[in-house]
Amino acid sequence: RIELKKFGMTLMSRQSGKEAFAALQSTIAGSTSSETIEIDFNGVVTFSPSCGDEFLTPLLNQFGDQLVLLPTSNPSVKITIELLEEINKRNFKTSI
């Protein structure tokens, strides 16, 4: 489980998304094809589409259905996910 708040509570820029993705690489490098990678948005106040594109899109491309977004009530996270799904023409897997 990756707690996104470890990278900041306000994730607004492409640069912050790139930095979060780069920092995560050493953690997920040893992941097997059977492991699920869960993204937890609890504690994140703002999550912009530009940050999400630099962080979530590469993870989706790298891990596909292994990537699971945990439920959130945060409107900025929900809107960002919807926008990225529309742009990428791919849906993120979510847990219920």
Side-chain angles (χ1 to χ4, degrees):
R1 179 176 288 192
I2 308 301
E3 294 180 357
L4 207 52
K5 69 181 176 187
K6 290 181 180 180
F7 303 107
M9 291 174 43
T10 304
L11 302 167
M12 295 289 296
S13 67
R14 287 199 175 274
Q15 187 61 35
S16 63
K18 286 179 185 178
E19 289 171 5
F21 181 74
L24 188 63
Q25 289 307 296
S26 62
T27 303
I28 59 177
S31 296
T32 66
S33 61
S34 63
E35 288 182 277
T36 299
I37 298 171
E38 297 177 325
I39 305 297
D40 185 349
F41 295 97
N42 284 330
V44 173
V45 177
T46 306
F47 189 59
S48 74
S50 56
C51 180
D53 190 38
E54 296 294 338
F55 181 76
L56 290 178
T57 300
L59 286 176
L60 180 62
N61 292 336
Q62 188 174 357
F63 293 101
D65 285 343
Q66 286 177 259
L67 178 67
V68 176
L69 306 183
L70 297 179
T72 181
S73 59
N74 183 319
S76 76
V77 172
K78 288 180 172 185
I79 290 169
T80 292
I81 292 168
E82 288 172 11
L83 182 62
L84 291 175
E85 287 178 334
E86 185 178 321
I87 290 169
N88 293 316
K89 307 283 190 252
R90 287 179 75 186
N91 289 333
F92 289 96
K93 187 175 179 181
T94 56
S95 85
I96 297 174

